Amino acid sequence: MNFRIMAEDLAIDLGTSCIKVFKKNEGVVISEPSVLVLDHQNKEIKAIGQQAKEMIGKTPDEIIVQRPIEKGVISDFNLTEAMLNYFFQKINPGFSVVQPRVVVCVPSGITDIEQRAVEDASLHAGSRDVIMVDESLAACFGVGLTPEDPRGILTLNLGAGTSEICVISLNGIVASKTLKMGGDDIDKNIQNFLREKKKIEVGINTAELIKKELLSLRLKDKDIGMEVEGRDVKDAQPKRIKVTSEEIAPCISEFADSLIEMIYLVMEKTPPELSSDIKNDGFLMTGGMANVRGLREYIEKIINLKAKISDKPELDAIKGAGLIMENPDRFLKYQSR
Ligand SMILES: Nc1ncnc2c1ncn2[C@@H]1O[C@H](COP(=O)(O)OP(=O)(O)OP(=O)(O)O)[C@@H](O)[C@H]1O
């Protein structure tokens, strides 16, 4: 058994679809689905992370798939703790006398009770001290912005379970709105579209793949197609069809329009001094759904502001949380202690 005096400090982004972990001096060492597979009878855990996700839609009745984070917050405390414990052990295997200090990203709309659940799950899973940081604020650090400055930053954080629109200044949230809609809802829209319009039933992992590979709001992509395999709705036989980008584009239109509505609501609540910063600097688009082709251009055109997106927007928050873990003073500036 490994034995050490001190475990390395960690940062965690406990996402609805994906858990990411940053290890001190090493960077992002884990990015795996927030999924567990359990025995239905005795609740014994059979698989966690990527291995568990690959089992979705393929398990017999006695095996169940669970996602312990829903819409960005813990829905099953014990499973979240088990998942954290598994990843903590993967990073710092064996026994440590001094447990790690942990920075955890949380959604901005989180309640005190939900915040407590995150803190407790992290402590029970083996951390000695927990600092919680708003995910959108962490993302600003992650892309190299300076949210500690007295300057307004508009962020759109587009995840799997929720989408947050925030204005940040002096390390705090000045105005925000949360849309309880994200990438998971788009996957379901794609599943429904295929069932109703194409008479083919596909699993949720296939729907997510179609979203990543084919979904686009760019006109020039409209004829791009993809072969999709599933089950015929009428006779339950295996079926293969071709789907084009243009056909599935409506699966994201309601979401895109709701985001724009939310941006206007947040801008209305933003003090004028900060609005002028946003007019000059544009906005930050972060989270995995910022990867959807054409979404950026669609929003930019309507709200008439330029967006900044990193190469891997799904990792912005965890990279920022890692920076905070390595240099907490930058984050703790202006925070009430
Ligand atoms: N290239 C891509 N194209 C489209 N969608 C993508 C792409 N990459 C990731 N996504 C989607 O982004 C979402 C995951 O984003 P992210 O990891 O930021 O969310 P999360 O942290 O798990 O969720 P939340 O912040 O809501 O708790 C998933 O719905 C995933 O399918």
Side-chain angles (χ1 to χ4, degrees):
M1 193 197 218
N2 280 336
F3 179 85
R4 75 181 72 67
I5 301 296
M6 280 191 80
E8 289 293 356
D9 289 346
L10 306 171
I12 302 170
D13 181 357
L14 207 49
T16 306
S17 74
C18 200
I19 176 167
K20 294 142 201 152
V21 187
F22 183 108
K23 187 176 179 183
K24 196 170 178 181
N25 303 322
E26 287 188 29
V28 182
V29 287
I30 284 175
S31 175
E32 289 208 37
S34 321
V35 180
L36 298 100
V37 166
L38 312 174
D39 184 308
H40 192 42
Q41 289 284 316
N42 59 16
K43 303 286 181 271
E44 187 194 336
I45 297 170
K46 299 281 184 193
I48 298 183
Q50 188 57 41
Q51 197 195 359
K53 184 169 179 184
E54 281 161 17
M55 295 182 186
I56 294 179
K58 300 174 187 168
T59 53
D61 285 351
E62 58 273 20
I63 300 284
I64 49 169
V65 177
Q66 297 262 305
R67 288 175 61 170
I69 317 285
E70 268 177 34
K71 300 281 174 200
V73 294
I74 293 179
S75 61
D76 187 313
F77 184 85
N78 292 334
L79 290 184
T80 303
E81 189 189 319
M83 190 169 72
L84 282 174
N85 213 315
Y86 170 80
F87 288 118
F88 283 4
Q89 271 298 316
K90 220 171 165 178
I91 293 169
N92 288 317
F95 179 77
S96 314
V97 178
V98 183
Q99 299 290 21
R101 179 171 281 150
V102 173
V103 173
V104 189
C105 293
V106 291
S108 74
I110 193 169
T111 63
D112 288 350
I113 294 169
E114 289 163 346
Q115 197 154 338
R116 195 55 183 269
V118 176
E119 194 173 359
D120 287 350
S122 310
L123 291 170
H124 284 181
S127 39
R128 74 171 194 281
D129 187 16
V130 183
I131 297 180
M132 272 181 282
V133 49
D134 185 276
E135 208 179 318
S136 300
L137 175 60
C140 291
F141 280 104
V143 299
L145 296 174
T146 49
E148 65 267 52
D149 290 346
R151 191 167 179 84
I153 305 174
L154 174 64
T155 62
L156 268 63
N157 182 6
L158 313 179
T162 57
S163 305
E164 280 181 7
I165 294 104
C166 300
V167 172
I168 292 169
S169 172
L170 295 169
N171 279 344
I173 307 290
V174 178
S176 74
K177 280 269 170 205
T178 302
L179 183 65
K180 294 267 179 198
M181 214 191 264
D184 285 352
D185 300 277
I186 309 304
D187 301 345
K188 286 184 200 135
N189 289 351
I190 292 175
Q191 260 188 325
N192 292 340
F193 162 80
L194 292 173
R195 186 183 310 115
E196 281 157 28
K197 299 283 189 293
K198 297 280 187 178
K199 307 294 173 210
I200 182 172
E201 194 78 55
V202 300
I204 202 72
N205 286 352
T206 303
E208 185 186 18
L209 186 73
I210 298 170
K211 175 186 71 183
K212 288 184 175 175
E213 305 264 306
L214 193 63
L215 186 60
S216 173
L217 287 169
R218 289 179 189 148
L219 256 171
K220 68 176 170 58
D221 292 340
K222 73 180 180 31
D223 296 324
I224 298 175
M226 172 176 176
E227 295 279 329
V228 172
E229 282 180 35
R231 192 182 66 201
D232 196 313
V233 171
K234 287 185 215 126
D235 59 13
Q237 291 299 304
K239 181 171 172 170
R240 176 188 272 256
I241 56 157
K242 190 179 170 199
V243 185
T244 66
S245 172
E246 186 177 26
E247 285 174 307
I248 60 160
C251 296
I252 197 170
S253 11
E254 186 199 340
F255 171 72
D257 292 336
S258 305
L259 278 180
I260 287 162
E261 233 174 83
M262 291 282 189
I263 296 171
Y264 284 131
L265 290 174
V266 170
M267 293 297 283
E268 271 172 24
K269 293 200 292 176
T270 302
E273 285 81 357
L274 300 181
S275 306
S276 57
D277 299 335
I278 294 165
K279 192 165 188 315
N280 288 326
D281 301 347
F283 62 101
L284 170 68
M285 242 171 106
T286 182
M289 282 292 288
N291 286 302
V292 173
R293 282 180 291 273
L295 184 58
R296 166 203 194 141
E297 295 91 316
Y298 184 83
I299 297 173
E300 281 182 334
K301 197 168 165 205
I302 298 181
I303 68 170
N304 200 21
L305 290 173
K306 281 275 168 219
K308 175 185 173 84
I309 302 189
S310 74
D311 290 348
K312 286 195 183 293
E314 62 278 18
L315 297 183
D316 296 342
I318 187 63
K319 285 183 182 164
L323 285 175
I324 292 167
M325 184 253 295
E326 288 176 343
N327 182 7
D329 288 347
R330 231 185 115 191
F331 163 70
L332 292 171
K333 214 171 165 183
Y334 313 119
Q335 301 274 332
S336 52
R337 297 181 202 202

